Amino acid sequence: RPQDRENFTALLKEFKEAAAAEAKISGKEPLLLTMASGAHKAKTLDLPEISKYLDWIDIMAYDFYGGGWSKETGMNAPLTNDPTGDFYVAKAVDEWLDGGVPPEKLVLGMPTYGRSFGGVEDPRPASKSEGAGPKGRCTGEPGFLAYYEINDLIESGKYKTYWDDVSNTPYAYDASSKSWITYDDLRSISLKVDLIDKKNLAGGMFWAIDLDDFQNDYPIITSVARRLRGGA
């Protein structure tokens, strides 16, 4: 409803005031107040006002496309452009910043998973899809694959990998099963960290820890942590 734009801001103010009041009684630091939001939601919120009450905002910059709802193949988290539309991660970040969120309060969400599409005849992005691709051996949800599951499929030799220069993300395709996967790897995640650095954002967050390659030192999350902490 139109009034919920103001209602949401009022709710955050009430939370913040309650946390401050509790801190005075307990003698402890006040509780942090944060939110996670879809990347597309910037224009629906009063960003300057909510930024007064939130300690930081996580933007979930993923799920732009998926086999479960998209009629053609597209990137889960397109960084620099979108082969099938005009909305992408870098543009989303700019909308939140231009809307009034201070960069030190904005956290970029990144995926440790991919989306799969089925019934795809053409490996190129923006090709017709018949729906969600096969489910993973562990995650068990059609159209959804953990990073470690994607690595296993690629290492099996069934999938050929590609790099999309438009979105600066990888994808993979199995011609025999007509299955197409959009995902992030160390290269594309590194470019997203470049965006964090360029825009002076507060940092990065992930969905989700258990979807990274836990048998190999969580490579995606570890690489970002090292970069943001000043390591190599």
Side-chain angles (χ1 to χ4, degrees):
R1 303 173 304 172
Q3 62 267 38
D4 285 333
R5 177 182 172 95
E6 289 71 32
N7 288 344
F8 182 66
T9 303
L11 178 64
L12 295 181
K13 182 176 184 290
E14 184 176 344
F15 270 132
K16 196 67 173 179
E17 290 172 348
E22 180 192 56
K24 286 184 178 180
I25 296 172
S26 67
K28 300 179 181 180
E29 291 292 319
L31 295 172
L32 294 172
L33 182 60
T34 73
M35 67 172 281
S37 173
H40 301 71
K41 298 298 183 181
K43 295 180 180 180
T44 68
L45 301 167
D46 188 343
L47 299 186
E49 286 300 308
I50 68 172
S51 296
K52 294 178 182 178
Y53 309 115
L54 290 164
D55 290 284
W56 72 77
I57 299 170
D58 298 310
I59 60 167
M60 298 183 286
Y62 34 76
D63 293 341
F64 283 53
Y65 287 86
W69 64 89
S70 303
K71 295 182 179 180
E72 55 185 32
T73 57
M75 305 311 184
N76 182 44
L79 174 61
T80 49
N81 213 321
D82 182 355
T84 57
D86 62 355
F87 197 68
Y88 45 93
V89 172
K91 184 175 181 178
V93 168
D94 284 341
E95 285 191 359
W96 285 84
L97 296 175
D98 294 343
V101 177
E104 65 271 15
K105 286 195 172 186
L106 193 63
V107 176
L108 179 62
M110 294 169 278
T112 54
Y113 67 90
R115 294 285 180 180
S116 66
F117 298 73
V120 180
E121 297 288 342
D122 190 332
R124 293 173 296 182
S127 297
K128 184 179 178 181
S129 167
E130 295 180 358
K135 61 185 180 181
R137 60 181 175 85
C138 294
T139 49
E141 177 186 338
F144 183 91
L145 295 167
Y147 179 61
Y148 65 85
E149 292 174 323
I150 296 169
N151 282 342
D152 288 346
L153 291 172
I154 292 172
E155 290 173 3
S156 73
K158 296 179 180 180
Y159 284 78
K160 182 178 179 180
T161 59
Y162 300 83
W163 180 262
D164 178 52
D165 288 323
V166 176
S167 64
N168 273 301
T169 58
Y171 62 98
Y173 179 68
D174 176 12
S176 60
S177 66
K178 309 298 182 185
S179 179
W180 194 94
I181 302 172
T182 168
Y183 63 105
D184 272 276
D185 61 7
L186 291 177
R187 179 182 175 186
S188 64
I189 287 292
S190 178
L191 294 174
K192 287 181 167 70
V193 178
D194 289 344
L195 178 66
I196 293 173
D197 287 339
K198 179 181 178 181
K199 299 293 183 176
N200 296 311
L201 304 185
M205 69 90 171
F206 299 92
W207 188 274
I209 292 174
D210 59 326
L211 300 173
D212 201 352
D213 191 350
F214 57 89
Q215 293 181 314
N216 292 289
D217 194 31
Y218 300 88
I220 288 181
I221 295 173
T222 300
S223 68
V224 173
R226 286 173 177 165
R227 282 274 307 274
L228 296 182
R229 289 174 177 171

